[in-house]
Amino acid sequence: MSLHGNLLGPEPTLLPVDPAAAALDDGADPVEVAASNPTSSIAWATLAEAALADGQTIAGYAFARTGYHRGLDQLRRAGWKGFGPIPWAHEPNRGFLRALAALLRAADAIGESDEVARIRTFLAESDPEAPAALGVN
């Protein structure tokens, strides 16, 4: 990178490590992890994915929306200005991106087509590899 910065666009946003991720990796109950880490996108994304897998669409939507908003807060604190890369390859970004994909699935299930289109675009603009990695091409 030159001394003048990236002339093609903003630098990728790289979130800090989410402490809840280790608890989830160790097999902790996602409900307890979310309760003790309410700002964690990965905790809410995990709850959303489980709810959607169990056919609980509205609960999944609510969990996903919470994870999405918590992730937006984290992104803004990390310097994100509402646009620019949010790389899937950076592990701490995955909680936000997973919440976003779960929100897309839930919105699709309830027929919220405008939301589905918006999220699909957001994911692709965040990282072109994210939709395929998340199974929401």
Side-chain angles (χ1 to χ4, degrees):
M1 171 135 104
S2 75
L3 295 176
H4 301 290
N6 182 352
L7 300 178
L8 300 176
E11 291 294 320
T13 301
L14 305 177
L15 292 174
V17 171
D18 184 338
L24 291 166
D25 289 344
D26 289 342
D29 179 0
V31 171
E32 291 176 15
V33 174
S36 61
N37 299 275
T39 63
S40 170
S41 285
I42 192 71
W44 293 107
T46 301
L47 289 172
E49 292 164 347
L52 292 171
D54 287 342
Q56 299 174 29
T57 305
I58 300 305
Y61 184 92
F63 291 144
R65 176 127 339 250
T66 302
Y68 164 73
H69 282 286
R70 294 302 190 159
L72 289 177
D73 293 342
Q74 294 165 0
L75 288 165
R76 289 182 189 112
R77 281 193 302 274
W80 186 72
K81 304 291 187 214
F83 61 94
I86 306 167
W88 170 257
H90 181 66
E91 186 77 28
N93 288 353
R94 291 184 180 183
F96 170 73
L97 295 169
R98 284 175 54 190
L100 195 55
L103 185 57
L104 185 152
R105 286 186 189 97
D108 189 41
I110 63 173
E112 195 175 355
S113 58
D114 290 344
E115 181 82 341
V116 170
R118 184 185 70 76
I119 294 169
R120 198 173 299 285
T121 299
F122 190 178
L123 271 173
E125 289 176 353
S126 295
D127 184 338
E129 295 179 16
L134 292 160
V136 292
N137 308 16

